[in-house]
Amino acid sequence: MVTRRPVPVRAIVTAAGGFLLTWRLAMFPLAELLLLAFFLALAWLWWDSMQAREAAVVAARTACEAEGLQFLDDTVGIAGLRPARNANGRLLLQRAYDFEFSDTGDNRMKGSVVMLGRRVILLNIGRRPPATVIRLH
């Protein structure tokens, strides 16, 4: 019985005089490479989504503070995810987030933030009822 050893990494001299490393395909089957690429893409999507979410939280909090509103729960929730192009034609992920705020402290109102990549392209705090004015004279 003959035992085979795996073929080691070989160095091939190219025409330009550099080295090119090759591996035997049996050492890394295609299915494993595709699975690895899938998990790397999934990890990138999670990391990029966390960065965009943090930018959305900051934008919502800043908008609420500027309007004199309370940003409730200090978080945003994902409402949509789709590919979209920016002004330069580059393909990015467009994410829509929902959040809640209050103007009096005892009610909840919905707002939304739309992000293209990590940039805010739309922030909506909705229409609020007009303040009631009581005249004394």
Side-chain angles (χ1 to χ4, degrees):
M1 179 191 240
V2 177
T3 58
R4 297 184 128 204
R5 295 186 314 205
V7 176
V9 175
R10 295 177 297 201
I12 299 174
V13 178
T14 62
F19 289 98
L20 178 68
L21 298 178
T22 61
W23 289 316
R24 184 176 167 197
L25 186 58
M27 293 179 77
F28 295 105
L30 184 60
E32 290 178 6
L33 289 175
L34 290 176
L35 191 63
L36 179 64
F38 172 75
F39 283 120
L40 287 174
L42 195 62
W44 172 84
L45 178 65
W46 176 80
W47 179 80
D48 191 55
S49 294
M50 289 295 108
Q51 297 293 319
R53 182 185 163 277
E54 288 301 317
V57 167
V58 169
R61 184 183 303 124
T62 303
C64 286
E65 286 174 1
E67 293 289 325
L69 303 169
Q70 295 176 4
F71 180 54
L72 301 177
D73 302 329
D74 202 36
T75 190
V76 295
I78 188 79
L81 175 71
R82 69 182 186 102
R85 297 201 180 267
N86 66 3
N88 298 331
R90 184 174 175 203
L91 189 63
L92 298 171
L93 287 176
Q94 179 177 318
R95 297 171 178 92
Y97 295 97
D98 290 335
F99 64 93
E100 292 183 334
F101 64 92
S102 176
D103 57 352
T104 62
D106 59 353
N107 61 351
R108 286 184 175 262
M109 300 171 141
K110 296 266 186 201
S112 62
V113 179
V114 178
M115 309 282 295
L116 186 58
R118 293 188 195 137
R119 297 187 72 173
V120 176
I121 59 171
L122 177 70
L123 194 136
N124 179 19
I125 54 174
R127 185 176 173 143
R128 297 183 307 275
T132 57
V133 177
I134 301 173
R135 295 185 184 237
L136 298 176
H137 297 94

